[in-house]
Amino acid sequence: PFVADAEMLGTPDPELAATMGFSGFGKKARTFDLEAMFEQTRRTAVERSRKVLEAREREKEDQTEKEFKIPCTDSSVSTSSATGPGSTLTQREALCRESEDDSNEALSGPSRQTQSSAKGPSEDTDDDDDEEEFIGPPLPPGFKDSDDDNDDDTEEEDNNPVKKIPDSHEITLQHGTKTVSALGLDPSGARLITGGYDYDVKFWDFAGMDASLQAFRSLQPCECHQIKSLQYSSTGDVILVVSGNSQAKVLDRDGFPVMECIKGDQYIVDMTNTKGHTAMLNSGCWHPKIKEEFLTCSNDGTVRTWDVNNEKKHKSVFKPRSVQGKRVIPTTCTYSRDGKLIAAGCQDGSIQIWDRNMSVHTKFHCRQAHSSGTDTSCLTFSYDGTVLASRGGDDTLKIWDIRQFKKPLNSADGLPSFFPMTDCCFSPDDKILVTGTSVKKGGGSGKLFFFYRETFQKLYEIEVTDASVVRCLWHPKLNQIMVGTGNGLAKVYYDPVKSQRGAKLCVVKTKRKERQAETLTQDYIITPHALPMFREPRQRSTRKQLEKDRLDPMKSHKPEPPVAGAGRGGRVGTHGVTLSSYIVKNIALDKTDDSNPREAILRHAKEAEENPYWVAPAYAK
């Protein structure tokens, strides 16, 4: 049809065509043979699909051969021996024969159409399923699907637990200069609290912090007592603060007091009859299931449970006893994961475990868990609740099955600990146990050790800093490791791929620019109707004005700070409201006349001689 149109139009006069701008009309129209094009396309499509099908049939054939090789031989032998040559085929042999025939047909048959027309409807549907599973040409031999890669990675991680430790990146939070003796993370992992030997408790909000990593709140909840332990409750709305005094405190999320435990009467001998602790606290923790209940242990030789809503008296008292039945001091305490058991590590080296509801006799106990006279600094149950790990003051880390409590499942030694709160924790998958080591000043660097739970083989270690590693905490939701050190740092280790939120939120935020010179500028007052002589020149830019003000000695003069403490440099101290201090401040140091004192007296000599008034008339007679 294209050709006919071109002929019908004819070839116009070349001059006219040039004038009208139709110069292209002089060329002959190109013809397209559509049938030939369709035929070519069909052939290539058939060729391609034939290759795909051949590859698929070859795979099928291999598979059927594998499946039927053994059964076919067995059945053929049995039938021939049993019934002889004239017998009918068994069902299995017939199936085998059919499958062999099918595979031969599949190999020899060139076109797909004849086969598909010969097959029944059920076979067609099977083919459709196959096609859905495999679309497109066969994959090259070296190709790996991305899912397969991931599977391989996870398998590799399972085989090598070191790959699960998130330590590729770290951030350092500066708590102060003294030991960070307590760390707490809320259940969601949004806020971290640190407490130290400097009596301070600092609050860090990962979502609100920028890269300058500053705490948003700092307070001293227990005045001049070192912080021993900090922990968020299971719901994350309140914080338990255990310090060096005898009264534990509960704060809300923003650091405001909620309750304070009562102090017991220290003159009563039987500790069951006192309402609270009478000596310094050592440790404390929340009940994992009941959000109002918490546990504390103290140097008065008791472990007590409390209710947040009742600060007047403890709920129950547990009294650890030595072999002789004497009082012994618990240095650490914890609940089991289900909250049914209460465990305490004592100064005589024993670990004693009670049923939470029965405070008289221990349910399990091990007398020589650690060396006697050392402080067991931490007890922690594994996530599955079957195993208890203990960190001893005798430089060991042990793991126990509480059902067979006579000897530990595994033990590691040579892990120095100088702090009564050096702790240990399990990894979120329960396969690794982590603890820190202490060092003397200038004696190397404190390390974080990772042990495989089953064999207690040392998997890995991180050199944290040139001071002791006191606290460690591996948060299951964030998959980040928090570490408190002996030189006032709180470090957070994380991996951008394996970890969630937490430290990843604040490192990406840029530091806010501090504008120090802002105080020098005076507010510009806009007076639109003022006369020209009173009108202030409009400020073009604040930066130029700041530079001008900086050069002005009056505007950029820093006022002298008030004298703190005793006076110095001729300036009287601020303290003292007595009359004498007032006189000293106003009169005695009023040295306005700084000339020579002899000249100051002789200045009046001539006047006294000429006009005697006081002295000379008195002695005249």
Side-chain angles (χ1 to χ4, degrees), residues 148-168:
D148 299 346
D149 282 352
N150 292 346
D151 293 346
D152 291 350
D153 287 350
T154 50
E155 275 176 31
E156 202 175 308
E157 272 190 12
D158 287 342
N159 299 338
N160 184 8
V162 177
K163 290 264 174 79
K164 292 183 179 176
I165 298 169
D167 74 319
S168 61

PDB file of all heavy atoms in Angstrom, residues 148-168:
ATOM      1  N   ASP A 148      20.948 -16.785  47.444  1.00  0.00           N
ATOM      2  CA  ASP A 148      21.911 -17.825  47.778  1.00  0.00           C
ATOM      3  C   ASP A 148      23.094 -17.229  48.518  1.00  0.00           C
ATOM      4  O   ASP A 148      23.602 -17.778  49.479  1.00  0.00           O
ATOM      5  CB  ASP A 148      22.412 -18.532  46.516  1.00  0.00           C
ATOM      6  CG  ASP A 148      21.262 -19.204  45.768  1.00  0.00           C
ATOM      7  OD1 ASP A 148      20.182 -19.328  46.393  1.00  0.00           O
ATOM      8  OD2 ASP A 148      21.425 -19.575  44.593  1.00  0.00           O
ATOM      9  N   ASP A 149      23.547 -16.049  48.052  1.00  0.00           N
ATOM     10  CA  ASP A 149      24.679 -15.375  48.708  1.00  0.00           C
ATOM     11  C   ASP A 149      24.363 -15.113  50.166  1.00  0.00           C
ATOM     12  O   ASP A 149      25.165 -15.372  51.051  1.00  0.00           O
ATOM     13  CB  ASP A 149      24.972 -14.025  48.029  1.00  0.00           C
ATOM     14  CG  ASP A 149      25.726 -14.232  46.719  1.00  0.00           C
ATOM     15  OD1 ASP A 149      26.122 -15.392  46.476  1.00  0.00           O
ATOM     16  OD2 ASP A 149      25.907 -13.259  45.965  1.00  0.00           O
ATOM     17  N   ASN A 150      23.145 -14.576  50.404  1.00  0.00           N
ATOM     18  CA  ASN A 150      22.755 -14.270  51.785  1.00  0.00           C
ATOM     19  C   ASN A 150      22.752 -15.520  52.645  1.00  0.00           C
ATOM     20  O   ASN A 150      23.197 -15.513  53.780  1.00  0.00           O
ATOM     21  CB  ASN A 150      21.362 -13.630  51.826  1.00  0.00           C
ATOM     22  CG  ASN A 150      21.384 -12.247  51.198  1.00  0.00           C
ATOM     23  OD1 ASN A 150      22.460 -11.682  50.987  1.00  0.00           O
ATOM     24  ND2 ASN A 150      20.224 -11.718  50.884  1.00  0.00           N
ATOM     25  N   ASP A 151      22.223 -16.610  52.049  1.00  0.00           N
ATOM     26  CA  ASP A 151      22.204 -17.870  52.804  1.00  0.00           C
ATOM     27  C   ASP A 151      23.609 -18.292  53.175  1.00  0.00           C
ATOM     28  O   ASP A 151      23.876 -18.694  54.301  1.00  0.00           O
ATOM     29  CB  ASP A 151      21.533 -18.979  51.977  1.00  0.00           C
ATOM     30  CG  ASP A 151      20.054 -18.693  51.787  1.00  0.00           C
ATOM     31  OD1 ASP A 151      19.543 -17.812  52.514  1.00  0.00           O
ATOM     32  OD2 ASP A 151      19.417 -19.324  50.917  1.00  0.00           O
ATOM     33  N   ASP A 152      24.521 -18.139  52.192  1.00  0.00           N
ATOM     34  CA  ASP A 152      25.917 -18.518  52.459  1.00  0.00           C
ATOM     35  C   ASP A 152      26.490 -17.676  53.579  1.00  0.00           C
ATOM     36  O   ASP A 152      27.192 -18.166  54.453  1.00  0.00           O
ATOM     37  CB  ASP A 152      26.776 -18.347  51.190  1.00  0.00           C
ATOM     38  CG  ASP A 152      26.385 -19.374  50.129  1.00  0.00           C
ATOM     39  OD1 ASP A 152      25.608 -20.290  50.478  1.00  0.00           O
ATOM     40  OD2 ASP A 152      26.831 -19.251  48.980  1.00  0.00           O
ATOM     41  N   ASP A 153      26.177 -16.351  53.537  1.00  0.00           N
ATOM     42  CA  ASP A 153      26.695 -15.446  54.575  1.00  0.00           C
ATOM     43  C   ASP A 153      26.208 -15.869  55.950  1.00  0.00           C
ATOM     44  O   ASP A 153      26.980 -15.933  56.895  1.00  0.00           O
ATOM     45  CB  ASP A 153      26.244 -13.996  54.311  1.00  0.00           C
ATOM     46  CG  ASP A 153      26.996 -13.400  53.129  1.00  0.00           C
ATOM     47  OD1 ASP A 153      27.961 -14.058  52.688  1.00  0.00           O
ATOM     48  OD2 ASP A 153      26.612 -12.311  52.661  1.00  0.00           O
ATOM     49  N   THR A 154      24.895 -16.155  56.037  1.00  0.00           N
ATOM     50  CA  THR A 154      24.349 -16.520  57.353  1.00  0.00           C
ATOM     51  C   THR A 154      24.949 -17.827  57.836  1.00  0.00           C
ATOM     52  O   THR A 154      25.254 -17.980  59.005  1.00  0.00           O
ATOM     53  CB  THR A 154      22.808 -16.636  57.306  1.00  0.00           C
ATOM     54  OG1 THR A 154      22.466 -17.466  56.193  1.00  0.00           O
ATOM     55  CG2 THR A 154      22.160 -15.280  57.149  1.00  0.00           C
ATOM     56  N   GLU A 155      25.132 -18.772  56.869  1.00  0.00           N
ATOM     57  CA  GLU A 155      25.770 -20.032  57.258  1.00  0.00           C
ATOM     58  C   GLU A 155      27.165 -19.780  57.797  1.00  0.00           C
ATOM     59  O   GLU A 155      27.587 -20.333  58.806  1.00  0.00           O
ATOM     60  CB  GLU A 155      25.851 -20.966  56.041  1.00  0.00           C
ATOM     61  CG  GLU A 155      24.575 -21.776  55.837  1.00  0.00           C
ATOM     62  CD  GLU A 155      24.642 -22.614  54.576  1.00  0.00           C
ATOM     63  OE1 GLU A 155      25.748 -23.037  54.188  1.00  0.00           O
ATOM     64  OE2 GLU A 155      23.592 -22.833  53.966  1.00  0.00           O
ATOM     65  N   GLU A 156      27.894 -18.889  57.086  1.00  0.00           N
ATOM     66  CA  GLU A 156      29.263 -18.568  57.499  1.00  0.00           C
ATOM     67  C   GLU A 156      29.256 -17.940  58.889  1.00  0.00           C
ATOM     68  O   GLU A 156      30.096 -18.241  59.731  1.00  0.00           O
ATOM     69  CB  GLU A 156      29.863 -17.584  56.479  1.00  0.00           C
ATOM     70  CG  GLU A 156      31.378 -17.592  56.472  1.00  0.00           C
ATOM     71  CD  GLU A 156      31.917 -16.700  55.352  1.00  0.00           C
ATOM     72  OE1 GLU A 156      31.485 -16.879  54.192  1.00  0.00           O
ATOM     73  OE2 GLU A 156      32.728 -15.824  55.654  1.00  0.00           O
ATOM     74  N   GLU A 157      28.265 -17.047  59.140  1.00  0.00           N
ATOM     75  CA  GLU A 157      28.171 -16.399  60.452  1.00  0.00           C
ATOM     76  C   GLU A 157      27.876 -17.420  61.544  1.00  0.00           C
ATOM     77  O   GLU A 157      28.406 -17.345  62.637  1.00  0.00           O
ATOM     78  CB  GLU A 157      27.065 -15.332  60.442  1.00  0.00           C
ATOM     79  CG  GLU A 157      27.573 -13.986  59.995  1.00  0.00           C
ATOM     80  CD  GLU A 157      26.564 -12.885  60.212  1.00  0.00           C
ATOM     81  OE1 GLU A 157      25.569 -13.105  60.913  1.00  0.00           O
ATOM     82  OE2 GLU A 157      26.770 -11.786  59.672  1.00  0.00           O
ATOM     83  N   ASP A 158      26.993 -18.392  61.222  1.00  0.00           N
ATOM     84  CA  ASP A 158      26.693 -19.430  62.211  1.00  0.00           C
ATOM     85  C   ASP A 158      27.948 -20.225  62.544  1.00  0.00           C
ATOM     86  O   ASP A 158      28.194 -20.569  63.692  1.00  0.00           O
ATOM     87  CB  ASP A 158      25.601 -20.376  61.682  1.00  0.00           C
ATOM     88  CG  ASP A 158      24.241 -19.683  61.692  1.00  0.00           C
ATOM     89  OD1 ASP A 158      24.124 -18.661  62.396  1.00  0.00           O
ATOM     90  OD2 ASP A 158      23.326 -20.131  60.988  1.00  0.00           O
ATOM     91  N   ASN A 159      28.712 -20.517  61.491  1.00  0.00           N
ATOM     92  CA  ASN A 159      29.940 -21.284  61.722  1.00  0.00           C
ATOM     93  C   ASN A 159      30.991 -20.459  62.450  1.00  0.00           C
ATOM     94  O   ASN A 159      31.774 -20.977  63.228  1.00  0.00           O
ATOM     95  CB  ASN A 159      30.523 -21.781  60.386  1.00  0.00           C
ATOM     96  CG  ASN A 159      29.541 -22.701  59.672  1.00  0.00           C
ATOM     97  OD1 ASN A 159      28.674 -23.271  60.326  1.00  0.00           O
ATOM     98  ND2 ASN A 159      29.668 -22.824  58.360  1.00  0.00           N
ATOM     99  N   ASN A 160      31.029 -19.155  62.168  1.00  0.00           N
ATOM    100  CA  ASN A 160      32.042 -18.293  62.769  1.00  0.00           C
ATOM    101  C   ASN A 160      31.371 -17.206  63.596  1.00  0.00           C
ATOM    102  O   ASN A 160      30.994 -16.161  63.081  1.00  0.00           O
ATOM    103  CB  ASN A 160      32.907 -17.679  61.657  1.00  0.00           C
ATOM    104  CG  ASN A 160      34.037 -16.859  62.222  1.00  0.00           C
ATOM    105  OD1 ASN A 160      34.269 -16.854  63.438  1.00  0.00           O
ATOM    106  ND2 ASN A 160      34.739 -16.145  61.358  1.00  0.00           N
ATOM    107  N   PRO A 161      31.200 -17.411  64.908  1.00  0.00           N
ATOM    108  CA  PRO A 161      30.461 -16.430  65.727  1.00  0.00           C
ATOM    109  C   PRO A 161      31.160 -15.077  65.843  1.00  0.00           C
ATOM    110  O   PRO A 161      30.525 -14.096  66.196  1.00  0.00           O
ATOM    111  CB  PRO A 161      30.359 -17.102  67.102  1.00  0.00           C
ATOM    112  CG  PRO A 161      31.192 -18.321  67.060  1.00  0.00           C
ATOM    113  CD  PRO A 161      31.625 -18.591  65.668  1.00  0.00           C
ATOM    114  N   VAL A 162      32.464 -15.024  65.530  1.00  0.00           N
ATOM    115  CA  VAL A 162      33.190 -13.734  65.601  1.00  0.00           C
ATOM    116  C   VAL A 162      32.574 -12.718  64.645  1.00  0.00           C
ATOM    117  O   VAL A 162      32.559 -11.516  64.914  1.00  0.00           O
ATOM    118  CB  VAL A 162      34.697 -13.943  65.270  1.00  0.00           C
ATOM    119  CG1 VAL A 162      35.442 -12.634  65.262  1.00  0.00           C
ATOM    120  CG2 VAL A 162      35.316 -14.895  66.279  1.00  0.00           C
ATOM    121  N   LYS A 163      32.005 -13.239  63.526  1.00  0.00           N
ATOM    122  CA  LYS A 163      31.397 -12.342  62.539  1.00  0.00           C
ATOM    123  C   LYS A 163      30.193 -11.595  63.113  1.00  0.00           C
ATOM    124  O   LYS A 163      29.764 -10.585  62.585  1.00  0.00           O
ATOM    125  CB  LYS A 163      30.946 -13.154  61.326  1.00  0.00           C
ATOM    126  CG  LYS A 163      32.093 -13.710  60.488  1.00  0.00           C
ATOM    127  CD  LYS A 163      32.400 -12.785  59.311  1.00  0.00           C
ATOM    128  CE  LYS A 163      33.624 -13.234  58.543  1.00  0.00           C
ATOM    129  NZ  LYS A 163      33.355 -14.340  57.647  1.00  0.00           N
ATOM    130  N   LYS A 164      29.613 -12.138  64.207  1.00  0.00           N
ATOM    131  CA  LYS A 164      28.417 -11.511  64.781  1.00  0.00           C
ATOM    132  C   LYS A 164      28.755 -10.373  65.737  1.00  0.00           C
ATOM    133  O   LYS A 164      27.868  -9.665  66.185  1.00  0.00           O
ATOM    134  CB  LYS A 164      27.608 -12.568  65.538  1.00  0.00           C
ATOM    135  CG  LYS A 164      27.003 -13.603  64.617  1.00  0.00           C
ATOM    136  CD  LYS A 164      26.167 -14.580  65.404  1.00  0.00           C
ATOM    137  CE  LYS A 164      25.528 -15.606  64.473  1.00  0.00           C
ATOM    138  NZ  LYS A 164      24.794 -16.611  65.215  1.00  0.00           N
ATOM    139  N   ILE A 165      30.034 -10.208  66.081  1.00  0.00           N
ATOM    140  CA  ILE A 165      30.404  -9.179  67.062  1.00  0.00           C
ATOM    141  C   ILE A 165      30.429  -7.815  66.364  1.00  0.00           C
ATOM    142  O   ILE A 165      31.195  -7.608  65.430  1.00  0.00           O
ATOM    143  CB  ILE A 165      31.780  -9.492  67.692  1.00  0.00           C
ATOM    144  CG1 ILE A 165      31.713 -10.829  68.438  1.00  0.00           C
ATOM    145  CG2 ILE A 165      32.228  -8.372  68.610  1.00  0.00           C
ATOM    146  CD1 ILE A 165      33.043 -11.370  68.881  1.00  0.00           C
ATOM    147  N   PRO A 166      29.582  -6.878  66.806  1.00  0.00           N
ATOM    148  CA  PRO A 166      29.507  -5.580  66.108  1.00  0.00           C
ATOM    149  C   PRO A 166      30.577  -4.607  66.613  1.00  0.00           C
ATOM    150  O   PRO A 166      30.313  -3.796  67.481  1.00  0.00           O
ATOM    151  CB  PRO A 166      28.096  -5.084  66.467  1.00  0.00           C
ATOM    152  CG  PRO A 166      27.836  -5.696  67.804  1.00  0.00           C
ATOM    153  CD  PRO A 166      28.618  -6.971  67.897  1.00  0.00           C
ATOM    154  N   ASP A 167      31.797  -4.685  66.071  1.00  0.00           N
ATOM    155  CA  ASP A 167      32.858  -3.818  66.600  1.00  0.00           C
ATOM    156  C   ASP A 167      33.582  -3.038  65.514  1.00  0.00           C
ATOM    157  O   ASP A 167      34.677  -2.540  65.739  1.00  0.00           O
ATOM    158  CB  ASP A 167      33.875  -4.668  67.377  1.00  0.00           C
ATOM    159  CG  ASP A 167      34.748  -5.484  66.442  1.00  0.00           C
ATOM    160  OD1 ASP A 167      34.199  -6.016  65.461  1.00  0.00           O
ATOM    161  OD2 ASP A 167      35.963  -5.572  66.676  1.00  0.00           O
ATOM    162  N   SER A 168      32.977  -2.923  64.314  1.00  0.00           N
ATOM    163  CA  SER A 168      33.698  -2.245  63.233  1.00  0.00           C
ATOM    164  C   SER A 168      33.800  -0.737  63.478  1.00  0.00           C
ATOM    165  O   SER A 168      34.727  -0.090  63.030  1.00  0.00           O
ATOM    166  CB  SER A 168      33.006  -2.510  61.894  1.00  0.00           C
ATOM    167  OG  SER A 168      31.689  -2.015  61.936  1.00  0.00           O
TER     168      SER A 168
END
